[in-house]
């Protein structure tokens, strides 16, 4: 056990985590040269195309140090995006040390800071590394200063490396064996294993990627999960090289996979503790487990009604591999039958959408993402959770409405300060603090409603800062706000699909924008159609679609004016009757025009 080192690589998106892991695999000869390819640990096509890590990927390497001592190095490659923070926290809990990777051309960015603070909270040994030193625009000294400011370490302790050329990588491996402490644990104690990821395998059922904290585990042992309280018999255990390799047993300090025999990833949640069924009452679960709850909700509808069952099966298969993704059936007057889906964030939603398109050839219609509100009503103690405006109770019984807030960190070159502040003034974010990393880079801290962050803030921030700014947010709780339900009436009839929850100060502008969009997209009728935005019984904005007009006086040539007036009056009566009984068919393109911001 003294020769085992468990570590992970933490960094912002696209700072070279997977490329550095490739070089480590080459140097330790874990993967044969002929099988080597770029970003070997990124197993999904989507990960390779976007250059991001979505699923955690562990690997075991055998390394001979300069003192000729053999070490087992267990590397966990972590996702760098804000949506997958919980997975990062669990992989940090499975390791004793972390390599902090910073791109020399980009410097410290938002996710670097967030992941670093998580690693420090877990008391991990941090090895700072400046990566991509081979780039012509690399600013090595400047990046080192930023790391010193963040970590408070000495400049000499920061290693320089290039994941692409392999320069400096042997020094990183040496530092890992020297600085990171061996795992603590006792093989003689009852089994405790931390699940840091899980995956569905069509042959072996659910695979739990686990770190054995105490005890040991063999194939055919009877196991018990402490949070979900499920029992099963282990099919096999093994390690990652990086493909799965069966071993006789896993003991304290090791990282490997457990073929649990469970049929659903839900039974084997990230952060849960696995123990032997025989010792389930004797031990306490490992700390830090929490159930992942979706943060952002959006509805997916098939374009063709016949595809509903096929889409349900497709979403079910995606859920097998992604316990954080949730979906349930719902129906909408305009868009038909579909599913309300819950995600960790917008990137998570994009990934699910992309996988539906690639793996199942389904291109769904997607509604505007929204968040969960909490409503306190008169005469009820517990708060109601509101997932859609249609569930909103009558305004007369509402005591207060609360919405989720996040702490938002933006890291940017300081020359864009004015533009970013101008952008944030358009939202309801509250400015908190500015911290300068050096003369040219700063961290801006805001507290903002989650709704303002998830819709399009990331894109607007990239536009305002020419792509240089990065952002990270974390949930800080619910806060009461002046929120109202905005209804849209078309020809006096309330259309539920257009209802939305808006802040009171933005109600008029949101209502006006919606009725203007609808005026453009609803076709003209034979009678005048009023499109109104209303809050309760009060109309706050209105647009009118003019009626088609038939020239009823065209056949008259001369004669008395009363004849002309008689025909116009008759037409007027007809139009009035029509507007009382006529119904307006709203095309689905109108729904999309409003649903998409």
């Amino acid at each position: 056990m003294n020769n085992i080192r468990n570590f992970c690589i933490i960094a912002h998106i696209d700072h070279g985590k997977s490329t550095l892991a490739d070089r480590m695999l080459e140097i330790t000869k874990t993967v044969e040269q002929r099988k080597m390819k770029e970003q070997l640990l990124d197993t999904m096509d989507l990960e390779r195309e976007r250059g991001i890590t979505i699923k955690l990927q562990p690997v075991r390497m055998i390394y001979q140090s300069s003192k000729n001592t053999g070490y087992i190095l267990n590397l966990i490659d972590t996702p760098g995006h804000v949506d997958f923070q919980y997975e990062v926290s669990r992989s940090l809990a499975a390791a004793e040390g972390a390599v902090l990777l910073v791109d020399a051309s980009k410097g410290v960015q938002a996710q670097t800071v967030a992941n670093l603070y998580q690693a420090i909270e877990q008391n991990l040994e941090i090895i700072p590394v400046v990566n991509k030193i081979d780039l012509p625009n690399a600013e090595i000294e400047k990046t080192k200063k930023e790391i010193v400011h963040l970590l408070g370490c000495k400049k000499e302790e920061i290693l320089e490396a290039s994941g692409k050329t392999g320069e400096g990588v042997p020094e990183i491996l040496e530092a890992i064996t020297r600085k990171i402490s061996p795992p603590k644990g006792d093989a003689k104690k009852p089994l405790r294993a931390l699940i840091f990821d899980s995956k569905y395998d069509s042959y072996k059922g659910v695979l739990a990627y686990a770190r054995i904290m105490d005890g040991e585990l063999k194939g055919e042992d009877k196991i018990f999960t402490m949070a979900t309280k499920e029992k099963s018999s282990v099919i096999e255990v093994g390690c990652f090289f990086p493909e799965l390799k069966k071993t006789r047993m896993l003991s304290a300090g090791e990282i490997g996979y457990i073929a649990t025999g469970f049929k659903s990833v839900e039974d084997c949640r990230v952060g849960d503790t696995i123990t032997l069924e025989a010792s389930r009452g004797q031990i306490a679960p490992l700390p830090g487990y929490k159930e992942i709850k979706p943060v952002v909700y959006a509805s997916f509808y098939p374009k063709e009604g016949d595809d509903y069952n096929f889409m349900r099966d497709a979403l079910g298969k995606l859920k097998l591999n992604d316990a954080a993704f949730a979906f349930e059936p719902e129906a909408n007057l305009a868009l038909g039958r579909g599913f309300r889906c819950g995600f960790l964030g917008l990137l998570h939603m994009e990934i699910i959408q992309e996988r539906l398109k690639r793996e199942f050839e389904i291109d769904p219609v997607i509604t505007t993402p929204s968040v969960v509100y909490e409503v306190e009503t008169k005469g009820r103690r517990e708060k109601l959770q509101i997932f859609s405006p249609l569930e909103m109770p009558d305004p007369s019984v509402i005591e207060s409405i609360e919405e989720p807030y996040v702490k938002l960190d933006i890291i940017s070159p300081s020359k864009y300060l004015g533009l970013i502040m101008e952008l944030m003034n358009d939202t309801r974010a509250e400015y908190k603090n500015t911290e300068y990393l050096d003369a040219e880079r700063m961290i801006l801290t805001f507290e903002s409603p989650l709704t303002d962050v998830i819709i399009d803030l990331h894109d607007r921030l990239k536009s305002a800062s020419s792509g240089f700014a990065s952002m990270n947010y974390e949930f800080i709780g619910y806060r009461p706000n002046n929120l109202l339900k905005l209804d849209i009436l078309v020809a006096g009839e309330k259309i539920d699909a257009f209802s939305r929850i808006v802040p009171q100060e933005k109600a008029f502008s949101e209502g006006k924008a919606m009725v203007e969009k609808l005026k453009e997209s609803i076709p003209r009728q034979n009678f005048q159609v009023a499109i109104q935005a209303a809050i309760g019984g009060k109309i706050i904005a209105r647009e009118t679609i003019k009626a088609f007009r038939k020239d009823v006086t065209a056949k008259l040539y001369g004669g008395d004016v009363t004849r002309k007036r008689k025909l116009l009056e008759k037409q007027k009566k007809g139009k009035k009757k029509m507007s009382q009984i006529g119904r307006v068919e709203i095309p689905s393109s109108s729904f999309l025009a409003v649903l998409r911001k």
Side-chain angles (χ1 to χ4, degrees):
M1 201 156 106
N2 283 340
N3 288 2
I4 296 176
R5 298 289 182 272
N6 297 323
F7 71 101
C8 52
I9 302 175
I10 53 175
H12 190 80
I13 299 175
D14 205 25
H15 277 213
K17 284 193 294 288
S18 300
T19 313
L20 178 66
D22 289 350
R23 295 297 81 75
M24 287 179 171
L25 295 174
E26 269 180 15
I27 290 168
T28 56
K29 298 186 173 58
T30 305
V31 178
E32 294 172 42
Q33 196 65 40
R34 65 194 173 90
K35 287 185 184 172
M36 201 63 204
K37 56 184 177 181
E38 279 186 27
Q39 296 171 336
L40 185 84
L41 297 183
D42 288 349
T43 47
M44 289 159 71
D45 292 339
L46 193 58
E47 291 181 307
R48 297 169 160 278
E49 278 170 35
R50 291 197 172 204
I52 57 173
T53 303
I54 297 165
K55 285 297 274 179
L56 298 171
Q57 188 59 48
V59 64
R60 173 184 279 212
M61 301 176 280
I62 310 295
Y63 175 64
Q64 287 286 338
S65 74
S66 53
K67 292 176 182 167
N68 227 8
T69 315
Y71 286 96
I72 293 172
L73 304 182
N74 287 314
L75 157 67
I76 303 172
D77 189 17
T78 59
H81 196 274
V82 56
D83 288 3
F84 308 112
Q85 259 179 334
Y86 179 65
E87 278 91 334
V88 174
S89 80
R90 292 304 83 211
S91 54
L92 293 177
E96 274 80 33
V99 174
L100 175 71
L101 208 58
V102 182
D103 185 335
S105 62
K106 293 176 183 164
V108 170
Q109 288 191 288
Q111 206 56 40
T112 318
V113 181
N115 289 347
L116 172 65
Y117 287 157
Q118 280 199 355
I120 291 170
E121 271 174 37
Q122 308 260 15
N123 292 325
L124 299 193
E125 180 62 48
I126 310 287
I127 298 172
V129 177
V130 175
N131 193 24
K132 303 193 185 181
I133 56 169
D134 57 309
L135 291 179
N137 60 339
E139 296 176 317
I140 299 166
E141 288 308 308
K142 183 168 168 274
T143 308
K144 279 188 175 180
K145 274 183 192 167
E146 290 178 14
I147 295 173
V148 169
H149 177 86
L150 261 185
L151 261 183
C153 61
K154 294 194 179 85
K155 211 171 180 180
E156 303 74 58
E157 291 174 14
I158 301 170
L159 303 174
E160 293 177 19
S162 165
K164 196 172 184 183
T165 63
E167 185 188 339
V169 181
E171 286 80 357
I172 297 175
L173 290 168
E174 282 296 321
I176 289 165
T177 59
R178 198 175 62 250
K179 288 187 176 179
I180 295 174
S181 57
K184 297 177 181 72
D186 189 343
K188 293 184 176 63
K189 280 187 178 175
L191 171 75
R192 281 202 308 173
L194 171 74
I195 303 170
F196 60 83
D197 198 11
S198 57
K199 177 183 174 190
Y200 184 79
D201 183 285
S202 40
Y203 299 106
K204 297 179 177 132
V206 175
L207 299 178
Y209 293 4
R211 152 78 195 269
I212 311 293
M213 296 296 186
D214 294 314
E216 50 191 38
L217 183 66
K218 298 187 284 293
E220 299 188 5
D221 279 351
K222 299 275 187 290
I223 57 165
F224 176 75
T225 55
M226 298 188 81
T228 53
K229 308 219 173 335
E230 295 288 337
K231 300 174 201 168
S232 184
S233 180
V234 175
I235 297 167
E236 65 176 54
V237 296
C239 300
F240 308 95
F241 283 100
E243 69 281 355
L244 308 178
K245 201 170 187 179
K246 186 178 173 181
T247 56
R248 197 177 67 81
M249 69 177 212
L250 290 174
S251 61
E254 290 189 292
I255 284 176
Y257 72 87
I258 303 165
T260 57
F262 290 130
K263 295 288 181 283
S264 163
V265 181
E266 295 236 299
D267 300 333
C268 194
R269 292 178 182 271
V270 174
D272 202 350
T273 306
I274 290 180
T275 185
L276 294 174
E277 206 187 322
S279 55
R280 68 194 239 191
Q282 303 165 25
I283 61 162
L286 295 160
Y289 170 77
K290 63 176 188 228
E291 207 169 303
I292 313 179
K293 286 195 168 70
V295 177
V296 175
Y297 286 83
S299 296
F300 280 29
Y301 292 92
K303 282 190 175 161
E304 301 296 326
D306 308 346
D307 293 344
Y308 176 79
N309 289 334
F310 179 52
M311 187 167 165
R312 185 181 57 206
D313 296 343
L315 290 172
K317 282 174 186 166
L318 290 183
K319 186 164 173 56
L320 279 177
N321 254 346
D322 191 344
F325 168 60
F327 72 94
E328 58 183 54
E330 72 166 12
N332 181 311
L333 279 175
L335 301 166
R337 291 194 304 162
F339 302 91
R340 185 172 69 213
C341 305
F343 310 95
L344 295 172
L346 283 196
L347 177 77
H348 189 203
M349 180 174 113
E350 273 179 46
I351 290 162
I352 295 284
Q353 184 190 349
E354 193 66 35
R355 286 182 67 188
L356 274 177
K357 204 184 269 183
R358 286 172 188 224
E359 294 169 31
F360 305 98
E361 293 178 356
I362 297 173
D363 191 7
V365 171
I366 300 172
T367 64
T368 314
S370 67
V371 298
V372 184
Y373 297 92
E374 288 192 346
V375 177
E376 203 174 302
T377 53
K378 291 172 185 170
R380 273 183 73 132
R381 279 190 180 173
E382 68 273 12
K383 292 174 182 171
L384 289 173
Q385 287 204 321
I386 302 294
F387 295 91
S388 105
L390 305 184
E391 299 169 9
M392 190 71 110
D394 188 83
S396 60
V397 298
I398 294 175
E399 288 275 354
S400 68
I401 305 176
E402 297 181 0
E403 64 177 329
Y405 264 70
V406 292
K407 176 174 170 270
L408 177 70
D409 289 326
I410 296 173
I411 295 190
S412 163
S414 35
K415 63 180 177 183
Y416 297 111
L417 176 64
L419 289 166
I420 291 171
M421 283 303 205
E422 204 174 300
L423 164 67
M424 297 311 288
N425 279 342
D426 291 347
T427 69
R428 290 176 291 147
E430 197 181 309
Y431 168 75
K432 286 291 172 195
N433 185 31
T434 304
E435 184 189 333
Y436 281 86
L437 292 170
D438 61 23
E440 289 169 24
R441 288 174 75 76
M442 59 182 183
I443 305 179
L444 293 168
T445 307
F446 296 90
E447 286 182 1
S448 167
L450 180 59
T451 335
D452 291 10
V453 175
I454 59 165
I455 307 283
D456 57 357
L457 183 68
H458 186 261
D459 296 344
R460 288 165 64 201
L461 181 65
K462 288 287 181 195
S463 305
S465 64
S466 310
F468 284 106
S470 57
M471 66 179 237
N472 175 57
Y473 58 86
E474 58 184 85
F475 177 66
I476 52 174
Y478 277 82
R479 293 187 188 173
N481 244 338
N482 272 342
L483 298 166
L484 304 164
K485 182 184 170 193
L486 179 71
D487 291 316
I488 298 292
L489 292 89
V490 175
E493 191 181 338
K494 189 160 87 176
I495 310 294
D496 286 338
F498 290 143
S499 297
R500 56 171 63 179
I501 296 169
V502 294
Q504 190 171 2
E505 64 271 21
K506 285 193 173 180
F508 174 69
S509 55
E510 286 268 349
K512 193 162 172 35
M514 281 177 81
V515 293
E516 281 170 1
K517 271 185 195 170
L518 284 172
K519 187 187 177 185
E520 300 298 316
S521 58
I522 293 177
R524 282 173 75 184
Q525 309 289 324
N526 280 327
F527 54 92
Q528 189 169 290
V529 176
I531 303 170
Q532 297 161 312
I535 290 168
K538 186 183 175 190
I539 306 295
I540 57 164
R542 171 183 170 134
E543 288 286 336
T544 307
I545 301 175
K546 292 274 185 280
F548 282 126
R549 275 205 66 202
K550 182 183 175 188
D551 190 359
V552 286
T553 59
K555 60 186 181 199
L556 297 180
Y557 47 94
D560 190 46
V561 74
T562 51
R563 290 177 66 198
K564 201 175 189 178
R565 199 168 289 146
K566 186 180 165 188
L567 287 173
L568 287 171
E569 284 298 323
K570 192 178 172 188
Q571 185 191 33
K572 197 172 164 187
K573 269 186 194 167
K575 293 261 184 213
K576 192 175 178 185
K577 191 176 178 185
M578 210 182 220
S579 66
Q580 284 168 351
I581 59 169
R583 290 196 71 242
V584 180
E585 283 294 321
I586 301 172
S588 57
S589 57
S590 303
F591 286 91
L592 294 181
V594 171
L595 293 171
R596 288 185 176 153
K597 261 220 164 186

